[in-house]
Amino acid sequence: ENGSDSCFRRDYESFDQNGTNISFCHPIQNTDGFRGISSLRAGETMKVGFKLNNVSLQDIGSQTKDSRKVWVQFYSEAEVDLYIDGEQCANLDKKPNEDQENAPWRGHVIDVPRIESESSVKMVGTLRLSNQIPPYERVAVKADILLENLASPLDDDGSGDQKSISLIQRRKLEVVCEPTCAFQQDCDVVLVTSESTSRAQFISCKELIEKRLGLKMDVYSVSLYGSLSPDFFATPDKSIREYFAGKLVIVLDETFNPLDDSVDEMSPSDMLPNGCMEQASGFSSSTKWLFVGSSQSSIQGLLMSHYTAAPDDVTTFTSKSEFQRTTKERLKEERLTGNQEKSIIEQVIGKDDEERHPTADQTLKNRWKYEKAANKMAVWLRANDPLRQHVVEWYSTSAKLVVRRGFCSTMNSAFVVNANNNSSETIQFAVARALPPEISIKAFCHSLKAEDREMCLSFRNAFNSNFLTETENFILGEFSKSMFSDDIMIQKFFPSISSMMDNKSLAG
C-alpha cells in the first residue's frame, strides 16, 4: 500500500519540535586566518602566525597514540623568505606532483607532532619580502592544512591499512609591497597611497607626474606611516606640515583596512584631523590638495563647511543691527586692505536672558517668526559677504539666532575627483588645476617641449578656469581697485597670472 494513503500515525511524546543543531566539521581547523600585516616595504621583515585548533576529543598528530597525522604546507610564487618555528621554508614555489592523487604536496611541508584535544597550537615565524619586488605588487603566501583520513574497511582491498590524505583548509596571506617615502625636499608632488592602491594606479600616476609633466614625485603611504596629521613627525627632524609645504599632495582616496579592531575600513582623507582647507587644516597655505576616487561621504567630510567654535570663542551681539554693523565694518576693512580673516567663528544674536521653556503651542506659534528671521539674515549675509559660507539657525528655547561663518572661496586649497568620474582625462585636468602656480608653469613648459598636445590642452583649460575663478572672487569680494598697483596683492588674488610675470621658464 502506498505510504501516502496510509492512515498509520504514531505520536512521540519526547519528540523535539525545535530540533537540535548538529555541526559537521573537520577536527583540525584554522579560524583566525594566516596572520600578518597587510603592507610591507621591499626587503622588510614582519612576524606571521598560523593557529591550529583541535576541536575533537582526541589528540591528533604524528606523535600521538593513534598517530593520525596532520601537516601544514606553505607555498608562494613570489620572492619571499619564510621561517616557521625557526625552520626555513625552502622550495616555496614547488608545484604539486600530479602523479600523487592522494597527496597534493607542494611548497614546504611541516609535520605537526601533537595537538591535544580541545586545544590549539600556534605556528609563528617571520616573512621577508625580496628587494626585487616592485611597488604595489601583491604578494600571496598560502597555507594548506592536510589531514590523514581515518582508515576504513572500504579503502583499497579492505585491509584498512591504507590511509589517504585530504586537503581540509586553505588560507592566504596577501601583502602589498609599498615603497619608503624618500622625503625629498625638492620634490614637487607627493602621492599619498594606501594598501588599496593598485600597481596600475601607481604606474599611471608615476607616468603622468614624472614623464609627462617632468616633475619630481615622492610616495607617502598611510598604511605604512599610519598618520596624516600635520603634527606627525615621519622623520626625526621634519613634520608632515613642513614636508608637504609648497607641494601638490595627490591623495588616492580608496578605502582600506587600517588594522584597527574598532574600524572596518576608512579612506586616507579620514585621517586628516581637521580636513584639508587652508583655514582649518593646520597645514601650510602653500600646500595644495587633490583627492582622487573619493566617495560622496568622504567629500562631505573633507569640505565640511562649518566647525563649532570653542565655548570661549563665541561672540554675542544683543541685536541684529549690531551684528550687521560690525560685519560691514569688518568687510570694509578687508576690501580696502585685501587681508581677510581666516578664522571660522560662531556668533550669537540675542539678549542674554534666562533660558526660556515655552510650551509646545507657543513654540509652534512662533516657529514661522524665527525661521523667517533666520532666512532673512542668511539672505543678507549672501548679499554682503558672498565669498564665505554661512549657516544661520535659531534656538527656540532662547529665541537667539546663531551664525556660523565657514570657509572663504579665496582660500580654497583643494580639488576633488569623485569615484564616479575619475577618467584619465579628468585626472589630467584636475592635476593641471591643482598644481601650485610656479610648479604649474614648470610642468606646462615641459609639456610644450615634449609636444604633448593633450596635456597642453589640459593646462589651457586649467589656466582659464583658475583665472575665471580668481576674477569672480575679486569681483564678488568688491576689493579696492588700488590693489592692482600692488604686486603682492596681484600675486595673492591672481596667482594664475602673477606666476607668469617675469617667469624665467616662459621668458626662455
Side-chain angles (χ1 to χ4, degrees):
E1 184 179 358
N2 192 320
S4 61
D5 297 328
S6 174
C7 61
F8 176 81
R9 175 183 175 86
R10 176 180 292 175
D11 294 327
Y12 294 90
E13 293 181 359
S14 61
F15 182 76
D16 184 0
Q17 294 276 352
N18 297 321
T20 301
N21 292 326
I22 301 176
S23 298
F24 294 90
C25 63
H26 291 287
I28 301 297
Q29 56 187 232
N30 167 269
T31 56
D32 297 336
F34 194 171
R35 305 287 289 179
I37 59 176
S38 51
S39 64
L40 206 62
R41 302 175 180 89
E44 198 172 37
T45 302
M46 70 171 173
K47 292 182 178 180
V48 295
F50 192 79
K51 189 175 182 180
L52 294 170
N53 300 307
N54 181 358
V55 298
S56 73
L57 300 178
Q58 301 291 328
D59 295 352
I60 295 178
S62 59
Q63 295 181 12
T64 59
K65 179 181 178 182
D66 297 329
S67 298
R68 188 180 184 188
K69 296 180 180 179
V70 60
W71 303 267
V72 180
Q73 59 183 15
F74 298 92
Y75 55 98
S76 175
E77 295 180 358
E79 295 182 58
V80 297
D81 294 327
L82 179 65
Y83 287 81
I84 296 294
D85 291 339
E87 179 179 339
Q88 182 177 7
C89 298
N91 303 318
L92 288 173
D93 57 349
K94 180 182 177 182
K95 303 295 182 181
N97 190 338
E98 297 180 358
D99 296 333
Q100 295 177 287
E101 297 181 2
N102 295 326
W105 308 112
R106 63 184 302 170
H108 184 87
V109 182
I110 296 179
D111 172 69
V112 181
R114 176 187 293 272
I115 311 177
E116 295 182 357
S117 64
E118 298 183 302
S119 64
S120 62
V121 296
K122 188 172 183 180
M123 309 174 79
V124 295
T126 59
L127 174 68
R128 178 185 176 276
L129 299 186
S130 166
N131 288 314
Q132 306 305 314
I133 297 177
Y136 295 98
E137 188 77 27
R138 259 68 181 169
V139 173
V141 181
K142 297 179 181 179
D144 292 349
I145 301 176
L146 301 165
L147 180 64
E148 189 175 52
N149 296 323
L150 294 173
S152 168
L154 300 179
D155 289 340
D156 297 326
D157 58 358
S159 65
D161 294 332
Q162 181 74 21
K163 293 183 180 179
S164 59
I165 296 170
S166 294
L167 169 62
I168 62 172
Q169 202 168 19
R170 173 168 291 162
R171 292 295 193 183
K172 179 174 75 171
L173 172 63
E174 186 174 82
V175 184
V176 181
C177 181
E178 299 197 81
T180 301
C181 186
F183 297 101
Q184 308 171 75
Q185 189 59 41
D186 61 342
C187 83
D188 306 296
V189 177
V190 179
L191 183 67
V192 175
T193 61
S194 70
E195 64 179 49
S196 293
T197 302
S198 68
R199 177 149 177 81
Q201 281 180 304
F202 174 74
I203 292 174
S204 177
C205 291
K206 188 176 179 66
E207 181 179 348
L208 172 62
I209 301 301
E210 295 186 344
K211 291 186 178 180
R212 299 187 65 185
L213 299 181
L215 302 175
K216 290 185 178 181
M217 185 184 83
D218 210 345
V219 183
Y220 179 90
S221 168
V222 293
S223 301
L224 286 179
Y225 293 98
S227 178
L228 266 183
S229 170
D231 298 323
F232 174 68
F233 277 77
T235 63
D237 59 343
K238 186 174 295 185
S239 67
I240 295 299
R241 178 193 294 107
E242 297 171 287
Y243 173 56
F244 283 1
K247 300 176 175 63
L248 170 61
V249 182
I250 301 178
V251 182
L252 302 183
D253 208 27
E254 289 85 1
T255 57
F256 69 101
N257 184 344
L259 296 179
D260 187 331
D261 293 337
S262 62
V263 181
D264 291 331
E265 63 178 21
M266 67 189 306
S267 301
S269 58
D270 296 332
M271 302 175 73
L272 290 165
N274 298 305
C276 60
M277 300 300 282
E278 175 187 331
Q279 292 169 253
S281 68
F283 286 91
S284 167
S285 59
S286 63
T287 301
K288 304 303 176 185
W289 299 84
L290 173 60
F291 297 86
V292 179
S294 300
S295 65
Q296 193 59 39
S297 60
S298 295
I299 293 173
Q300 290 174 351
L302 280 170
L303 307 180
M304 186 177 175
S305 356
H306 307 281
Y307 294 83
T308 302
D312 58 349
D313 193 28
V314 178
T315 306
T316 301
F317 298 89
T318 58
S319 65
K320 289 182 286 186
S321 59
E322 183 189 4
F323 168 78
Q324 290 174 334
R325 183 174 63 254
T326 303
T327 300
K328 283 185 175 181
E329 290 173 356
R330 173 181 56 80
L331 291 171
K332 182 179 178 180
E333 181 70 17
E334 288 183 357
R335 288 161 182 168
L336 286 173
T337 62
N339 298 320
Q340 295 172 286
E341 283 189 12
K342 290 187 176 183
S343 57
I344 294 174
I345 61 175
E346 182 175 309
Q347 298 164 310
V348 178
I349 305 171
K351 295 181 180 179
D352 289 330
D353 297 333
E354 291 185 5
E355 191 172 87
R356 305 177 184 181
H357 299 282
T359 64
D361 290 340
Q362 289 173 327
T363 300
L364 184 63
K365 182 178 179 181
N366 293 326
R367 184 182 183 89
W368 69 270
K369 176 183 176 181
Y370 297 126
E371 286 186 347
K372 183 178 179 180
N375 291 335
K376 189 175 180 179
M377 182 59 69
V379 170
W380 185 88
L381 285 166
R382 282 196 294 271
N384 288 271
D385 194 5
L387 295 180
R388 287 187 174 88
Q389 298 169 313
H390 294 90
V391 166
V392 184
E393 298 175 323
W394 66 276
Y395 289 165
S396 59
T397 56
S398 59
K400 292 181 180 180
L401 290 179
V402 177
V403 179
R404 294 187 177 91
R405 189 178 75 192
F407 293 130
C408 182
S409 59
T410 62
M411 302 177 198
N412 180 42
S413 58
F415 293 87
V416 178
V417 177
N418 65 41
N420 299 322
N421 187 27
N422 57 355
S423 64
S424 59
E425 293 80 8
T426 302
I427 293 175
Q428 284 176 199
F429 172 69
V431 170
R433 280 209 71 180
L435 281 170
E438 292 295 331
I439 299 176
S440 179
I441 296 299
K442 181 167 65 172
F444 172 60
C445 291
H446 179 86
S447 299
L448 282 175
K449 293 175 182 178
E451 298 182 357
D452 189 338
R453 178 179 174 79
E454 184 181 358
M455 200 66 236
C456 287
L457 288 174
S458 293
F459 274 112
R460 182 199 67 181
N461 295 334
F463 289 147
N464 288 339
S465 297
N466 287 340
F467 179 66
L468 289 174
T469 299
E470 293 161 4
T471 303
E472 182 181 20
N473 285 339
F474 193 85
I475 293 173
L476 286 175
E478 300 179 12
F479 295 102
S480 172
K481 296 180 179 63
S482 62
M483 294 180 188
F484 279 110
S485 62
D486 189 335
D487 290 343
I488 295 178
M489 287 302 171
I490 293 177
Q491 182 179 1
K492 179 178 180 179
F493 287 100
F494 297 92
S496 65
I497 59 173
S498 66
S499 60
M500 300 181 187
M501 297 177 179
D502 300 322
N503 187 287
K504 296 180 180 180
S505 299
L506 292 177

